[in-house]
Amino acid sequence: MNLTFFLPTRLILDENCVSKNAAKFTECGKKAMIVTGKNSAKASGALDDVVAVLEQGRTEWILFDKIENNPSMETVEEAGKIAKAEGVDFVIGIGGGSPIDAAKAIAVLAANDMKTTDLFLNQFTKALKILAVPTTAGTGSEATPYSVLLRKDLQTKMGFGNPLTFPVYAFLDAKYTVSLSKNFTISTAVDAFTHCLEGYMANRSTIMSDAIALSAIEAFGRAIPALGRDTLTLKERELLLYISMIGGVTIAQTGVTAPHGLGYCYTYFKDVPHGVANGYFMREYLKLHEEVRKDKVASALAALGYTTIDAFADALDTLIGPAPALTAEEVEEYTKLSLLQKGSLSNTPYPMTEDSVHSLWTKMARL
Ligand code: NAP
Ligand code: FE
């Protein structure tokens, strides 16, 4: 057996976990920078809860609330300069993946004298402590070291992350996710599920990551009926938060595979939300893997509570709808672009050659 499992984050999933763990905030330092987007940290009540524990512990804090969806390098650079000038010694990201990813970048920039573009070299050896309070249930960023930033200079998104950019604490409280819309809840839940399923199939999967991923695959099967309804109970929201967190725990060990690499084309060219784009591939992805991961496909289906791939994929379709039809030209273009996604393709057990990627896009296109 060849097994490595590294997770330095203390994950705390509980009702009112922020106020119940006030001492954990104060132990992190004397002055915090809270990093958020424009509205949701306030609207969800998470910001008030965090400020209350900081005030109670007489911890100084400043707020940086300008993180965009898909945080840019320019914005984290600005926040990093402020954090340094203000002598901040820890960073709290509150929000979806965007503010949490931004908090990771700010924690590195504030602790080092470095160019922002050098983040992507992953060679930094210092970072401020990072705390994460998710208000979405999808990316699992609270349990990964990854930070994905928008590089306007290169017209793409780029990620970095090393062991220092795992949050030290993640506080997961489902009440912060109650205000998410139905569509956003579905697309992010499907993203979280695909992290678990792809991590389960991945070449880099281990006996230990498999056990963890399978527990969340099973939970997703139970969540499907709730996702079809207009409102979810707090317990159901908590289950989604669990799936998201486990998705992060899983991909931090295993990485992602072909759907994440290929789904980018739907998002970029057809404006399809990231989770939905990955979800479109599930039927064909599972069918391909019946050839090379027969046992795992069977275990995943059993955990989900379905007897056939088509029955599961049909249930998923009722949540996310069918993939858009594509033209023959689009199939050629998407194939070419997909082949650039070397990391996720080489981590996919079914060989992702030019021919198999082309054939997968041809099936997806319904030509
Ligand atoms: P997000 O970009 O953080 O937020 C999307 C929108 O949802 C924002 O308008 C946000 O509002 C709003 N929102 C957040 N919480 C809400 C709530 N409780 N109620 C209502 N609205 C709420 O969304 P995300 O999908 O969580 O994160 C996406 C980012 O994560 C991308 O940049 C992606 O590249 C990255 N990502 C990271 C990892 C990782 O491992 N680090 C993995 C996958 C994806 P506000 O702006 O007001 O906050
Ligand atoms: Fe994802």
Side-chain angles (χ1 to χ4, degrees), residues 31-33 60-62 79-89:
K31 186 165 183 178
M33 174 182 261
E60 279 186 75
W61 58 276
I62 54 171
K81 282 186 185 147
I82 298 173
K84 208 180 238 176
E86 291 273 346
V88 157
D89 47 25

Side-chain angles (χ1 to χ4, degrees), residues 132-186:
V133 183
T135 64
T136 66
T139 70
S141 177
E142 68 278 7
T144 77
Y146 311 130
S147 170
V148 185
L149 301 177
L150 188 64
R151 288 204 62 162
K152 291 181 189 159
D153 55 337
L154 302 178
Q155 293 185 304
T156 188
K157 285 171 89 172
M158 211 179 249
F160 73 91
N162 82 16
L164 292 169
T165 48
F166 272 104
V168 287
Y169 288 112
F171 300 96
L172 297 108
D173 189 335
K175 75 179 175 195
Y176 302 143
T177 66
V178 169
S179 46
L180 292 168
S181 69
K182 180 178 179 180
N183 283 345
F184 194 81
T185 301
I186 291 174

Side-chain angles (χ1 to χ4, degrees), residues 335 339 350-362:
T335 301
L339 290 167
Y350 189 90
M352 285 285 131
T353 61
E354 191 169 345
D355 281 352
S356 62
V357 171
H358 187 270
S359 133
L360 180 53
W361 274 118
T362 305

